[in-house]
Amino acid sequence: MRNLLNLLVTFFVFWCGNYYFNQYISISDTKTLIIATVLMFVISFIYGFLLTISFISIVVGIGCLTTPLLIVASLVLTPIKLWLLDRYLTGFEIHGFWTYVILTIVLSIFTVKVNDKKD
């Protein structure tokens, strides 16, 4: 459920950015909007999987090397994802450094974090 909510939030943030701030974010059509949203979700999912594997591999000793690197990468992961989308997805353009910063902040604020409470 959390993943679906994050997917919808990302879609909404991209749509609002394109609709209201089209001088900073340019998305050519709905298909590109959907592809950008799905790619952001897939990259986040793969990163979460790698981080989980890294924590599990601490017992073996390999995780001691990879976990700190992945944690540092998480600080810059959203701008990197946005840059990759801007660079490789035709029809998706982000204009300006501050647009990256603002999109990163907005996506971080509205990303849903759900803690499972088991009683």
Short mmCIF file of all heavy atoms in Angstrom, two decimals, residues 3-22 25 27 30 32-38 40-41 82 92 102-103 106-112:
data_model
loop_
_atom_site.label_atom_id
_atom_site.label_comp_id
_atom_site.label_asym_id
_atom_site.label_seq_id
_atom_site.Cartn_x
_atom_site.Cartn_y
_atom_site.Cartn_z
N ASN A 3 3.86 1.59 -1.21
CA ASN A 3 4.48 1.77 -2.51
C ASN A 3 3.52 2.41 -3.51
O ASN A 3 3.92 3.27 -4.29
CB ASN A 3 5.00 0.44 -3.05
CG ASN A 3 6.18 -0.07 -2.26
OD1 ASN A 3 6.92 0.71 -1.68
ND2 ASN A 3 6.32 -1.37 -2.20
N LEU A 4 2.28 1.98 -3.49
CA LEU A 4 1.27 2.56 -4.38
C LEU A 4 1.05 4.04 -4.06
O LEU A 4 0.94 4.87 -4.95
CB LEU A 4 -0.04 1.78 -4.28
CG LEU A 4 -1.18 2.28 -5.14
CD1 LEU A 4 -0.82 2.17 -6.62
CD2 LEU A 4 -2.45 1.53 -4.84
N LEU A 5 1.03 4.36 -2.77
CA LEU A 5 0.85 5.75 -2.36
C LEU A 5 2.04 6.61 -2.80
O LEU A 5 1.84 7.73 -3.29
CB LEU A 5 0.70 5.80 -0.83
CG LEU A 5 -0.28 6.80 -0.27
CD1 LEU A 5 -1.63 6.68 -0.91
CD2 LEU A 5 -0.39 6.64 1.22
N ASN A 6 3.25 6.08 -2.66
CA ASN A 6 4.44 6.82 -3.12
C ASN A 6 4.42 7.02 -4.63
O ASN A 6 4.83 8.07 -5.12
CB ASN A 6 5.71 6.10 -2.70
CG ASN A 6 6.00 6.26 -1.23
OD1 ASN A 6 5.55 7.22 -0.61
ND2 ASN A 6 6.72 5.33 -0.65
N LEU A 7 3.95 6.01 -5.35
CA LEU A 7 3.83 6.12 -6.81
C LEU A 7 2.86 7.24 -7.18
O LEU A 7 3.15 8.08 -8.05
CB LEU A 7 3.39 4.78 -7.39
CG LEU A 7 3.37 4.66 -8.90
CD1 LEU A 7 4.78 4.61 -9.44
CD2 LEU A 7 2.61 3.42 -9.31
N LEU A 8 1.72 7.28 -6.51
CA LEU A 8 0.72 8.32 -6.78
C LEU A 8 1.22 9.71 -6.39
O LEU A 8 0.96 10.69 -7.10
CB LEU A 8 -0.58 8.00 -6.07
CG LEU A 8 -1.34 6.78 -6.58
CD1 LEU A 8 -2.53 6.48 -5.69
CD2 LEU A 8 -1.76 6.98 -8.02
N VAL A 9 1.94 9.80 -5.29
CA VAL A 9 2.48 11.09 -4.85
C VAL A 9 3.51 11.60 -5.86
O VAL A 9 3.50 12.79 -6.22
CB VAL A 9 3.10 10.97 -3.43
CG1 VAL A 9 4.00 12.15 -3.12
CG2 VAL A 9 2.01 10.85 -2.40
N THR A 10 4.38 10.72 -6.34
CA THR A 10 5.37 11.11 -7.33
C THR A 10 4.69 11.58 -8.61
O THR A 10 5.07 12.59 -9.20
CB THR A 10 6.33 9.95 -7.63
OG1 THR A 10 6.93 9.51 -6.42
CG2 THR A 10 7.41 10.36 -8.61
N PHE A 11 3.66 10.85 -9.04
CA PHE A 11 2.90 11.24 -10.22
C PHE A 11 2.29 12.63 -10.04
O PHE A 11 2.38 13.49 -10.91
CB PHE A 11 1.80 10.21 -10.51
CG PHE A 11 0.94 10.54 -11.69
CD1 PHE A 11 1.35 10.22 -12.96
CD2 PHE A 11 -0.27 11.21 -11.51
CE1 PHE A 11 0.57 10.53 -14.06
CE2 PHE A 11 -1.05 11.53 -12.60
CZ PHE A 11 -0.64 11.19 -13.88
N PHE A 12 1.69 12.86 -8.88
CA PHE A 12 1.05 14.14 -8.59
C PHE A 12 2.06 15.28 -8.54
O PHE A 12 1.79 16.37 -9.06
CB PHE A 12 0.26 14.05 -7.28
CG PHE A 12 -0.51 15.28 -6.96
CD1 PHE A 12 -1.63 15.63 -7.69
CD2 PHE A 12 -0.11 16.11 -5.93
CE1 PHE A 12 -2.34 16.79 -7.41
CE2 PHE A 12 -0.81 17.27 -5.63
CZ PHE A 12 -1.93 17.60 -6.38
N VAL A 13 3.23 15.05 -7.95
CA VAL A 13 4.27 16.09 -7.87
C VAL A 13 4.76 16.44 -9.27
O VAL A 13 4.90 17.62 -9.62
CB VAL A 13 5.43 15.64 -6.96
CG1 VAL A 13 6.64 16.55 -7.12
CG2 VAL A 13 4.98 15.61 -5.51
N PHE A 14 5.01 15.42 -10.10
CA PHE A 14 5.44 15.69 -11.47
C PHE A 14 4.36 16.41 -12.26
O PHE A 14 4.64 17.34 -13.01
CB PHE A 14 5.83 14.40 -12.18
CG PHE A 14 7.17 13.85 -11.78
CD1 PHE A 14 7.48 12.54 -12.05
CD2 PHE A 14 8.11 14.63 -11.15
CE1 PHE A 14 8.71 12.01 -11.70
CE2 PHE A 14 9.34 14.13 -10.79
CZ PHE A 14 9.64 12.81 -11.07
N TRP A 15 3.12 15.99 -12.10
CA TRP A 15 2.03 16.62 -12.83
C TRP A 15 1.85 18.08 -12.42
O TRP A 15 1.71 18.95 -13.27
CB TRP A 15 0.73 15.85 -12.61
CG TRP A 15 -0.42 16.47 -13.32
CD1 TRP A 15 -0.74 16.35 -14.63
CD2 TRP A 15 -1.39 17.37 -12.75
NE1 TRP A 15 -1.86 17.11 -14.92
CE2 TRP A 15 -2.27 17.75 -13.78
CE3 TRP A 15 -1.59 17.88 -11.47
CZ2 TRP A 15 -3.34 18.61 -13.56
CZ3 TRP A 15 -2.64 18.75 -11.26
CH2 TRP A 15 -3.51 19.09 -12.30
N CYS A 16 1.87 18.34 -11.12
CA CYS A 16 1.74 19.72 -10.63
C CYS A 16 2.91 20.58 -11.10
O CYS A 16 2.73 21.73 -11.49
CB CYS A 16 1.68 19.75 -9.10
SG CYS A 16 0.09 19.26 -8.44
N GLY A 17 4.12 20.00 -11.05
CA GLY A 17 5.28 20.74 -11.52
C GLY A 17 5.17 21.10 -12.99
O GLY A 17 5.50 22.22 -13.39
N ASN A 18 4.69 20.16 -13.79
CA ASN A 18 4.54 20.42 -15.22
C ASN A 18 3.40 21.40 -15.48
O ASN A 18 3.51 22.27 -16.34
CB ASN A 18 4.29 19.11 -15.96
CG ASN A 18 4.19 19.30 -17.45
OD1 ASN A 18 5.03 19.96 -18.04
ND2 ASN A 18 3.17 18.74 -18.04
N TYR A 19 2.33 21.29 -14.75
CA TYR A 19 1.16 22.13 -14.99
C TYR A 19 1.34 23.56 -14.49
O TYR A 19 1.03 24.52 -15.18
CB TYR A 19 -0.07 21.49 -14.34
CG TYR A 19 -1.36 22.15 -14.71
CD1 TYR A 19 -1.93 21.93 -15.96
CD2 TYR A 19 -2.02 22.99 -13.82
CE1 TYR A 19 -3.12 22.54 -16.31
CE2 TYR A 19 -3.20 23.61 -14.16
CZ TYR A 19 -3.76 23.38 -15.40
OH TYR A 19 -4.93 23.99 -15.75
N TYR A 20 1.87 23.70 -13.26
CA TYR A 20 1.97 25.02 -12.65
C TYR A 20 3.33 25.69 -12.84
O TYR A 20 3.43 26.91 -12.77
CB TYR A 20 1.64 24.95 -11.16
CG TYR A 20 0.20 24.59 -10.91
CD1 TYR A 20 -0.15 23.35 -10.39
CD2 TYR A 20 -0.81 25.49 -11.20
CE1 TYR A 20 -1.47 23.01 -10.16
CE2 TYR A 20 -2.14 25.17 -10.97
CZ TYR A 20 -2.46 23.93 -10.46
OH TYR A 20 -3.77 23.61 -10.25
N PHE A 21 4.37 24.92 -13.00
CA PHE A 21 5.73 25.46 -13.11
C PHE A 21 6.39 24.96 -14.39
O PHE A 21 7.51 24.46 -14.36
CB PHE A 21 6.56 25.07 -11.89
CG PHE A 21 5.93 25.47 -10.59
CD1 PHE A 21 5.29 24.54 -9.79
CD2 PHE A 21 5.96 26.79 -10.18
CE1 PHE A 21 4.70 24.91 -8.60
CE2 PHE A 21 5.37 27.17 -8.99
CZ PHE A 21 4.74 26.24 -8.20
N ASN A 22 5.69 25.10 -15.51
CA ASN A 22 6.18 24.52 -16.76
C ASN A 22 7.44 25.21 -17.30
O ASN A 22 8.08 24.68 -18.18
CB ASN A 22 5.08 24.50 -17.83
CG ASN A 22 4.51 25.86 -18.11
OD1 ASN A 22 4.97 26.85 -17.56
ND2 ASN A 22 3.51 25.90 -18.95
N ILE A 25 9.90 22.72 -15.21
CA ILE A 25 9.75 21.29 -15.47
C ILE A 25 8.91 21.14 -16.74
O ILE A 25 7.79 21.63 -16.80
CB ILE A 25 9.03 20.57 -14.32
CG1 ILE A 25 9.79 20.76 -13.01
CG2 ILE A 25 8.88 19.09 -14.62
CD1 ILE A 25 9.02 20.28 -11.82
N ILE A 27 7.33 18.35 -19.26
CA ILE A 27 6.99 16.96 -19.56
C ILE A 27 6.10 17.00 -20.80
O ILE A 27 5.04 17.64 -20.78
CB ILE A 27 6.29 16.27 -18.38
CG1 ILE A 27 7.19 16.32 -17.15
CG2 ILE A 27 5.93 14.83 -18.73
CD1 ILE A 27 6.57 15.80 -15.89
N THR A 30 1.41 12.76 -21.47
CA THR A 30 1.01 11.91 -20.34
C THR A 30 1.82 10.62 -20.29
O THR A 30 2.16 10.14 -19.21
CB THR A 30 -0.49 11.58 -20.44
OG1 THR A 30 -1.21 12.81 -20.55
CG2 THR A 30 -0.97 10.83 -19.21
N THR A 32 4.96 10.19 -21.14
CA THR A 32 6.25 10.51 -20.53
C THR A 32 6.10 10.73 -19.03
O THR A 32 6.97 10.31 -18.25
CB THR A 32 6.85 11.76 -21.19
OG1 THR A 32 6.91 11.56 -22.60
CG2 THR A 32 8.23 12.06 -20.67
N LEU A 33 5.02 11.34 -18.62
CA LEU A 33 4.74 11.54 -17.19
C LEU A 33 4.63 10.20 -16.47
O LEU A 33 5.22 10.01 -15.40
CB LEU A 33 3.47 12.36 -17.01
CG LEU A 33 2.96 12.60 -15.60
CD1 LEU A 33 3.97 13.42 -14.81
CD2 LEU A 33 1.62 13.29 -15.64
N ILE A 34 3.91 9.27 -17.05
CA ILE A 34 3.74 7.95 -16.44
C ILE A 34 5.06 7.19 -16.41
O ILE A 34 5.42 6.58 -15.40
CB ILE A 34 2.65 7.16 -17.17
CG1 ILE A 34 1.28 7.82 -16.92
CG2 ILE A 34 2.62 5.70 -16.73
CD1 ILE A 34 0.16 7.28 -17.76
N ILE A 35 5.82 7.24 -17.51
CA ILE A 35 7.11 6.55 -17.56
C ILE A 35 8.07 7.13 -16.53
O ILE A 35 8.77 6.39 -15.83
CB ILE A 35 7.71 6.63 -18.98
CG1 ILE A 35 6.89 5.77 -19.94
CG2 ILE A 35 9.17 6.18 -19.00
CD1 ILE A 35 7.27 5.92 -21.40
N ALA A 36 8.11 8.46 -16.39
CA ALA A 36 8.99 9.10 -15.41
C ALA A 36 8.61 8.68 -13.99
O ALA A 36 9.48 8.38 -13.17
CB ALA A 36 8.92 10.62 -15.54
N THR A 37 7.33 8.62 -13.71
CA THR A 37 6.86 8.21 -12.39
C THR A 37 7.24 6.77 -12.10
O THR A 37 7.75 6.45 -11.02
CB THR A 37 5.33 8.38 -12.29
OG1 THR A 37 5.00 9.74 -12.57
CG2 THR A 37 4.83 8.01 -10.91
N VAL A 38 7.03 5.89 -13.06
CA VAL A 38 7.35 4.47 -12.87
C VAL A 38 8.86 4.28 -12.72
O VAL A 38 9.31 3.50 -11.87
CB VAL A 38 6.77 3.63 -14.02
CG1 VAL A 38 7.31 2.22 -14.00
CG2 VAL A 38 5.26 3.62 -13.97
N MET A 40 11.05 6.45 -11.52
CA MET A 40 11.42 6.91 -10.18
C MET A 40 11.09 5.84 -9.14
O MET A 40 11.87 5.57 -8.23
CB MET A 40 10.68 8.21 -9.82
CG MET A 40 11.21 9.45 -10.45
SD MET A 40 12.73 10.05 -9.73
CE MET A 40 12.14 10.76 -8.22
N PHE A 41 9.93 5.21 -9.29
CA PHE A 41 9.52 4.17 -8.37
C PHE A 41 10.44 2.96 -8.46
O PHE A 41 10.88 2.42 -7.44
CB PHE A 41 8.08 3.76 -8.66
CG PHE A 41 7.61 2.60 -7.84
CD1 PHE A 41 7.30 2.78 -6.50
CD2 PHE A 41 7.51 1.34 -8.39
CE1 PHE A 41 6.88 1.70 -5.74
CE2 PHE A 41 7.10 0.27 -7.63
CZ PHE A 41 6.77 0.45 -6.30
N LEU A 82 16.43 12.22 -10.49
CA LEU A 82 15.89 13.29 -11.32
C LEU A 82 16.83 13.62 -12.47
O LEU A 82 16.40 13.84 -13.61
CB LEU A 82 15.62 14.53 -10.47
CG LEU A 82 14.49 14.41 -9.46
CD1 LEU A 82 14.48 15.62 -8.54
CD2 LEU A 82 13.16 14.27 -10.16
N PHE A 92 11.18 14.71 -20.96
CA PHE A 92 11.19 15.07 -19.54
C PHE A 92 12.41 15.97 -19.33
O PHE A 92 13.54 15.52 -19.46
CB PHE A 92 11.29 13.82 -18.67
CG PHE A 92 11.24 14.10 -17.19
CD1 PHE A 92 10.03 14.14 -16.54
CD2 PHE A 92 12.39 14.31 -16.47
CE1 PHE A 92 9.97 14.39 -15.17
CE2 PHE A 92 12.35 14.57 -15.11
CZ PHE A 92 11.13 14.60 -14.47
N ILE A 102 14.44 21.96 -5.17
CA ILE A 102 13.04 22.07 -4.73
C ILE A 102 12.28 20.77 -4.95
O ILE A 102 11.53 20.32 -4.08
CB ILE A 102 12.35 23.26 -5.43
CG1 ILE A 102 12.96 24.56 -4.90
CG2 ILE A 102 10.85 23.24 -5.21
CD1 ILE A 102 12.56 25.80 -5.67
N LEU A 103 12.49 20.13 -6.11
CA LEU A 103 11.83 18.84 -6.36
C LEU A 103 12.27 17.78 -5.36
O LEU A 103 11.47 16.97 -4.89
CB LEU A 103 12.13 18.36 -7.78
CG LEU A 103 11.15 18.74 -8.85
CD1 LEU A 103 11.62 18.26 -10.20
CD2 LEU A 103 9.78 18.21 -8.56
N VAL A 106 10.47 18.58 -2.07
CA VAL A 106 9.04 18.27 -2.16
C VAL A 106 8.81 16.76 -2.17
O VAL A 106 7.94 16.25 -1.46
CB VAL A 106 8.42 18.94 -3.41
CG1 VAL A 106 7.03 18.42 -3.68
CG2 VAL A 106 8.39 20.44 -3.24
N LEU A 107 9.60 16.03 -2.97
CA LEU A 107 9.44 14.57 -3.00
C LEU A 107 9.79 13.94 -1.66
O LEU A 107 9.17 12.97 -1.25
CB LEU A 107 10.28 13.97 -4.12
CG LEU A 107 9.75 14.19 -5.53
CD1 LEU A 107 10.77 13.74 -6.57
CD2 LEU A 107 8.44 13.47 -5.74
N SER A 108 10.77 14.50 -0.96
CA SER A 108 11.14 13.96 0.35
C SER A 108 10.05 14.24 1.39
O SER A 108 9.78 13.40 2.25
CB SER A 108 12.46 14.57 0.82
OG SER A 108 13.50 14.20 -0.03
N ILE A 109 9.44 15.40 1.32
CA ILE A 109 8.39 15.74 2.29
C ILE A 109 7.17 14.87 2.08
O ILE A 109 6.58 14.36 3.03
CB ILE A 109 8.02 17.23 2.17
CG1 ILE A 109 9.14 18.09 2.73
CG2 ILE A 109 6.72 17.53 2.91
CD1 ILE A 109 8.95 19.57 2.49
N PHE A 110 6.79 14.69 0.82
CA PHE A 110 5.54 13.98 0.54
C PHE A 110 5.70 12.48 0.34
O PHE A 110 4.71 11.79 0.10
CB PHE A 110 4.85 14.59 -0.67
CG PHE A 110 4.32 15.96 -0.40
CD1 PHE A 110 4.86 17.06 -1.02
CD2 PHE A 110 3.30 16.14 0.51
CE1 PHE A 110 4.38 18.33 -0.76
CE2 PHE A 110 2.81 17.41 0.79
CZ PHE A 110 3.36 18.50 0.14
N THR A 111 6.92 11.96 0.44
CA THR A 111 7.09 10.52 0.37
C THR A 111 6.56 9.91 1.64
O THR A 111 6.87 10.36 2.75
CB THR A 111 8.57 10.14 0.19
OG1 THR A 111 9.03 10.71 -1.03
CG2 THR A 111 8.76 8.65 0.13
N VAL A 112 5.76 8.89 1.49
CA VAL A 112 5.06 8.30 2.61
C VAL A 112 5.97 7.33 3.33
O VAL A 112 6.53 6.41 2.73
CB VAL A 112 3.78 7.58 2.12
CG1 VAL A 112 3.07 6.93 3.28
CG2 VAL A 112 2.89 8.55 1.40
#
